[in-house]
Amino acid sequence: KEAPVQGQTSPTAASLPSREELKRALEEKTKECAENYDKYVRAVAELENYKKRAVKEKAEAIKYGNESLIRELLPLADSLERALQHADKSNDFESFKKGLGMLKDQLLCCLGKHGVEPIDCADKQFDPNYHEALMQVTSREHDNNQIVDELEKGYLLNGRLLRPAKVTVCKRPDDNGTC
């Protein structure tokens, strides 16, 4: 192989960038790196601000989440107050009883708007998912495990159990009269 002649450049040396080109490329990459770092710092700051804002919004949602329900309950409180004032001035028990029924309907309507519904227990079979048996009675008039009496209403909230109904359940005696 021949050695390159002095003053001539080898073909590989000609394809290498010059010192100025390398310096310019390095400056461009340094500038690009600084811009990317700036974008990164801004993105991290935005994420932190978002997290703080989300925590604050969540706290406010919890603090004021029941606001619409409470607003709808306030007229009920007003009606109760009027009923108590009327009860002091009147001896008409039937009117008072009718007024209490209206208040109950007003309350159930308000709760219904917010997804609360009572659990129906009339002539139903005992279901431990919706009922809590407080007593067991012996009876031939009802089927075995049928609800005989509802002691306290149960409620669902948007289909999920809020409170089970407290009930009395029938235990039917066998043919010998024993339980």
Side-chain angles (χ1 to χ4, degrees), residues 53-84:
R53 194 170 49 250
V55 166
K56 181 180 175 184
E57 288 172 1
K58 183 179 179 182
E60 283 187 11
I62 291 170
K63 186 175 182 178
Y64 299 109
N66 296 331
E67 183 177 357
S68 62
L69 174 64
I70 292 169
R71 278 184 200 215
E72 290 187 31
L73 288 174
L74 290 176
L76 180 67
D78 296 338
S79 296
L80 279 169
E81 191 171 323
R82 283 191 296 276
L84 289 171

Side-chain angles (χ1 to χ4, degrees), residues 4-114:
V5 181
Q6 267 189 346
Q8 286 184 341
T9 57
S10 67
T12 55
S15 61
L16 291 176
S18 70
R19 182 174 275 193
E20 287 81 31
E21 290 173 335
L22 287 173
K23 196 173 185 181
R24 215 174 315 120
L26 179 61
E27 287 173 0
E28 286 177 20
K29 293 300 177 184
T30 303
K31 183 179 176 183
E32 185 181 328
C33 179
E35 289 173 0
N36 287 339
Y37 181 74
D38 185 53
K39 287 179 186 176
Y40 163 76
V41 168
R42 289 177 188 269
V44 167
E46 282 182 37
L47 180 62
E48 287 302 315
N49 288 338
Y50 169 76
K51 286 180 180 178
K52 289 175 186 174
R53 194 170 49 250
V55 166
K56 181 180 175 184
E57 288 172 1
K58 183 179 179 182
E60 283 187 11
I62 291 170
K63 186 175 182 178
Y64 299 109
N66 296 331
E67 183 177 357
S68 62
L69 174 64
I70 292 169
R71 278 184 200 215
E72 290 187 31
L73 288 174
L74 290 176
L76 180 67
D78 296 338
S79 296
L80 279 169
E81 191 171 323
R82 283 191 296 276
L84 289 171
Q85 289 172 353
H86 181 72
D88 285 341
K89 299 174 188 171
S90 173
N91 290 330
D92 187 5
F93 182 73
E94 284 304 313
S95 293
F96 188 70
K97 185 177 173 183
K98 183 179 176 185
L100 283 177
M102 291 169 60
L103 288 171
K104 176 187 167 200
D105 293 343
Q106 185 180 2
L107 175 63
L108 290 177
C109 180
C110 175
L111 292 174
K113 288 179 187 176
H114 291 275

Side-chain angles (χ1 to χ4, degrees), residues 136-167:
Q136 198 172 43
V137 295
T138 305
S139 171
R140 292 190 184 275
E141 297 172 17
H142 298 89
D143 294 333
N144 203 34
N145 282 336
Q146 183 179 6
I147 295 173
V148 175
D149 192 21
E150 181 180 47
L151 305 172
E152 190 175 275
K153 275 223 172 281
Y155 294 93
L156 301 173
L157 175 61
N158 297 318
R160 179 200 257 174
L161 184 66
L162 189 60
R163 179 178 84 185
K166 295 181 180 173
V167 296

